Amino acid sequence: MLNLKATDIGRGASAADLIRDALREAIVQGELRDGETLRQDQIAGLFNVSRIPVREALARLEAEGLVTSHRYKGAVVASLSLEEIAETFEFRALVEPEVVRRSVARMGADTLALARGHCAAFATEADPGAWAQHNRAFHSALYRDAGRPYHLRVVSDALDKVGRYLRAQLVLTDGMARARREHDAILEACAAGDADRAAELTRAHILGASELLIDFLRRERGGG
Amino acid sequence: MLNLKATDIGRGASAADLIRDALREAIVQGELRDGETLRQDQIAGLFNVSRIPVREALARLEAEGLVTSHRYKGAVVASLSLEEIAETFEFRALVEPEVVRRSVARMGADTLALARGHCAAFATEADPGAWAQHNRAFHSALYRDAGRPYHLRVVSDALDKVGRYLRAQLVLTDGMARARREHDAILEACAAGDADRAAELTRAHILGASELLIDFLRRERGGG
DNA sequence: ATATTGCAAATCGGATCCAATATGCGATCA
DNA sequence: TGATCGCATATTGGATCCGATTTGCAATAT
C-alpha cells in the first residue's frame, strides 16, 4: 500500500488567494494606512503576476469590508468613522461574550494552557509591534472550543475591520496595563469554569477598550 | 445655478456587481439548488459578457459564504449542514433582538406604518413564492431605525446564508400560521414601544422557526 | 472481465490586449 | 490675471487568448 505524506496540491492557494491574504494582513496590521489607494499595477508588480488575480483579491476584500472601491477610480483601504468603529466594538461586545460562554463549558486543559501561554506572551512582550498578535491569539484561544465556526468567522471579520485601530489603542494609549489585568481576570474565570463571569469580563474588556480608543481617536482626529 | 436630478453615473454598477447581485438573488431565492455547480462560461453567456466579471462576482460571493469554490473544479452553491444552519439561526437569535431593541426606541410612525404594510402583505399573500420576500421586508422594516449599519449588514449576510432554507420552512412546514401570529405580536410590541418585549419575541420567533426547520430537514435529509 | 493507462474534451487560472473613464497640465480666452 | 477648455497620460473594466488541471471514456494489458 502507498504511504506518502501527500499534500493536496490542488487545494493549494491560488495567486488570488495569496494576494488577498497578504493584503488583508497588511491592512489589519496597519502597514497600509487608512484611505491609502491600492493600485492594481503596483500590487501585481509586487507579486509578479498580472492584474487579474489582484482584481479578484480586491473583490474579495471589498466583500469583507476592508476595502472600498469606486468605479474607474480604484480601491482604497476602507477608513472607518468613529461611529463605525464604536459600532463594531459594540457588535463584538454582543457576540464574543456568548462565544466564550460556550467555550468555557467545553474547554480542555490543552486550550487553557494555550491561552495561558498567549496571555503570558502578551504580558511580557517588549515589542509593541507584536502586542496585537498576542492579544488576538489569546482571545482566539479562548474562543476555539466553542464549536461555533460561523460565530468565529463573524467575530474574525469584525476584528479584521478594527484591527489597526486596536493596535493603535494598545500602543498609543496606556491600554496595555489595563489589558494585562483584564486578560488575567478572564483567564482566571475560564480556569475556574465560571462561564458567566468570563462572558461578563469579556464584555467589559471590549467595551473598555472601545472607550479608550474612541476617546483617543476623538482627540487625534481633532473632531468634536 | 444648475439644478438637475443628477444621478452619479460613475457609481453605476459594474458588470461584476450586477452578476453578483443576480447570482446572490438566485441563490437566496433557492432558484439555484444546493450544491449546484456554477459554470463560468454558462453564466458569462447568460449576461453576454466574458468570464472575467463572472469570476470577480464569484470571488465576492465566496467571501460572503454563499459559494464555495475548489481550484480547477469550479464553484458550487454552498450547502450548509444541519449544524451550520442551526448555528446561523442561533447567531440571528443573538443579534436581531438587540437590533430591534434599539430600533423600537427610535421608531418613527412612518417605519411603523411600513412594517404594518409588510406584515399585512405577508399575512395575506397567496403565492408561497412571495412569502419569503414579505417576511424579510417586514423584519427589515423593524430593524431600519436602529442606526446600526454594521449589525444590519451582518444580519443580512446571515439571512442570505439561510434564505433558501427559510423559504422551505415557510412553504413546506406549516410555519405560516405561526409566523403570522408571531409577527402580529412583535408588531404590537413595537407599536407599544416595548423594546424588551419586541426583542424577546423576536428571539423566540427566530428560535421557533429554527426548530421547525431543523426538524423538517432532519426528516427530509433522512439523517438521524 | 477487470483494472490500468492514455488521450481528448471541458473547464479553470492567469496573461495580454483593447476600450472606457478619470485626472492633471498646458493652451486659450475674457 | 484667472477661469475654462482640451488633450495627454494614468488607471480601471472587460475581452480574448493561452497554459494548466480535471474528468470521462476508450484502448489495452493482464
Side-chain angles (χ1 to χ4, degrees):
Chain A
M1 193 45 173
L2 200 54
N3 188 0
L4 288 178
K5 293 225 172 184
T7 154
D8 187 344
I9 298 178
R11 189 98 49 166
S14 66
D17 290 330
L18 295 173
I19 294 169
R20 167 178 54 86
D21 290 341
L23 283 178
R24 177 166 43 207
E25 180 81 2
I27 292 173
V28 172
Q29 299 300 331
E31 294 158 23
L32 289 168
R33 299 256 295 275
D34 233 46
E36 188 163 347
T37 79
L38 304 168
R39 301 261 163 251
Q40 297 176 1
D41 286 340
Q42 182 189 355
I43 298 169
L46 289 176
F47 289 89
N48 271 87
V49 294
S50 79
R51 282 165 35 222
I52 297 292
V54 175
R55 280 161 58 177
E56 289 178 17
L58 290 174
R60 286 174 159 97
L61 291 172
E62 192 186 10
E64 293 179 24
L66 292 180
V67 151
T68 57
S69 62
H70 291 252
R71 199 164 154 78
Y72 294 118
K73 291 207 288 186
V76 299
V77 177
S79 74
L80 275 60
S81 69
L82 285 183
E83 289 75 22
E84 289 170 313
I85 296 172
E87 190 198 345
T88 306
F89 273 82
E90 285 184 32
F91 177 78
R92 292 182 51 211
L94 173 65
V95 177
E96 296 188 38
E98 292 310 307
V99 176
V100 256
R101 189 195 308 281
R102 258 189 73 101
S103 197
V104 168
R106 323 166 154 231
M107 192 171 291
D110 51 342
T111 292
L112 205 56
L114 185 68
R116 229 185 274 279
H118 287 306
C119 186
F122 174 76
T124 61
E125 175 67 59
D127 173 22
W131 286 349
Q133 283 98 315
H134 289 306
N135 181 51
R136 182 147 180 179
F138 169 66
H139 287 288
S140 290
L142 292 185
Y143 300 160
R144 75 168 191 169
D145 284 346
R148 283 283 183 262
Y150 185 66
H151 289 67
L152 290 188
R153 176 73 196 282
V154 171
V155 164
S156 178
D157 285 351
L159 276 167
D160 283 346
K161 273 184 78 87
V162 296
R164 57 195 186 282
Y165 304 108
L166 232 177
R167 175 190 212 72
Q169 188 261 325
L170 282 177
V171 175
L172 298 174
T173 79
D174 63 346
M176 269 301 283
R178 176 171 184 163
R180 265 191 281 257
R181 281 199 313 273
E182 293 178 350
H183 283 185
D184 286 342
I186 293 172
L187 190 55
E188 191 187 344
C190 291
D194 190 338
D196 287 342
R197 191 155 64 94
E200 178 50 38
L201 288 172
T202 297
R203 177 179 166 80
H205 178 58
I206 293 168
L207 291 180
S210 172
E211 223 172 299
L212 273 182
L213 173 59
I214 297 296
D215 281 352
F216 169 74
L217 287 177
R218 207 188 302 277
R219 273 194 302 276
E220 190 194 49
R221 295 191 179 182
Chain B
M1 192 47 174
L2 201 53
N3 189 359
L4 286 179
K5 293 226 171 181
T7 154
D8 187 345
I9 298 176
R11 186 102 51 173
S14 66
D17 290 330
L18 295 173
I19 295 169
R20 166 178 55 86
D21 290 342
L23 283 177
R24 177 166 42 208
E25 180 81 1
I27 292 173
V28 172
Q29 299 300 330
E31 294 157 23
L32 289 168
R33 299 258 293 276
D34 232 47
E36 189 162 347
T37 79
L38 305 168
R39 302 259 164 253
Q40 297 175 359
D41 285 334
Q42 182 188 355
I43 297 168
L46 289 176
F47 289 89
N48 271 89
V49 294
S50 78
R51 281 165 37 222
I52 296 292
V54 175
R55 281 161 57 178
E56 289 177 18
L58 290 175
R60 286 173 159 98
L61 291 172
E62 193 186 9
E64 293 179 26
L66 292 179
V67 152
T68 57
S69 63
H70 292 256
R71 199 164 154 78
Y72 294 117
K73 290 208 289 185
V76 299
V77 177
S79 75
L80 276 60
S81 68
L82 285 183
E83 289 75 23
E84 289 170 313
I85 295 172
E87 190 199 344
T88 306
F89 272 82
E90 286 184 32
F91 177 79
R92 292 183 50 210
L94 173 64
V95 177
E96 295 187 37
E98 292 310 307
V99 175
V100 254
R101 189 195 306 282
R102 259 189 71 102
S103 197
V104 168
R106 321 166 155 232
M107 192 171 291
D110 52 342
T111 292
L112 206 55
L114 185 67
R116 229 184 275 278
H118 287 306
C119 186
F122 174 76
T124 61
E125 174 67 57
D127 174 22
W131 287 348
Q133 284 98 314
H134 288 306
N135 182 50
R136 182 147 181 180
F138 170 65
H139 287 287
S140 291
L142 292 186
Y143 299 160
R144 74 168 193 171
D145 284 347
R148 283 283 185 262
Y150 184 66
H151 288 67
L152 290 188
R153 177 73 196 281
V154 171
V155 164
S156 177
D157 285 352
L159 276 168
D160 283 347
K161 271 183 81 84
V162 295
R164 58 195 186 280
Y165 305 108
L166 232 176
R167 175 192 213 70
Q169 188 261 326
L170 282 176
V171 174
L172 297 174
T173 79
D174 62 346
M176 269 301 283
R178 178 173 183 161
R180 266 191 280 257
R181 282 199 313 273
E182 293 178 349
H183 283 185
D184 286 341
I186 293 171
L187 189 55
E188 190 187 345
C190 291
D194 190 339
D196 287 342
R197 191 155 64 95
E200 179 50 37
L201 288 172
T202 296
R203 177 179 165 80
H205 179 58
I206 293 169
L207 291 180
S210 172
E211 223 173 300
L212 273 182
L213 173 60
I214 297 295
D215 281 351
F216 169 74
L217 287 178
R218 208 188 302 278
R219 273 194 301 277
E220 189 195 49
R221 294 190 179 181

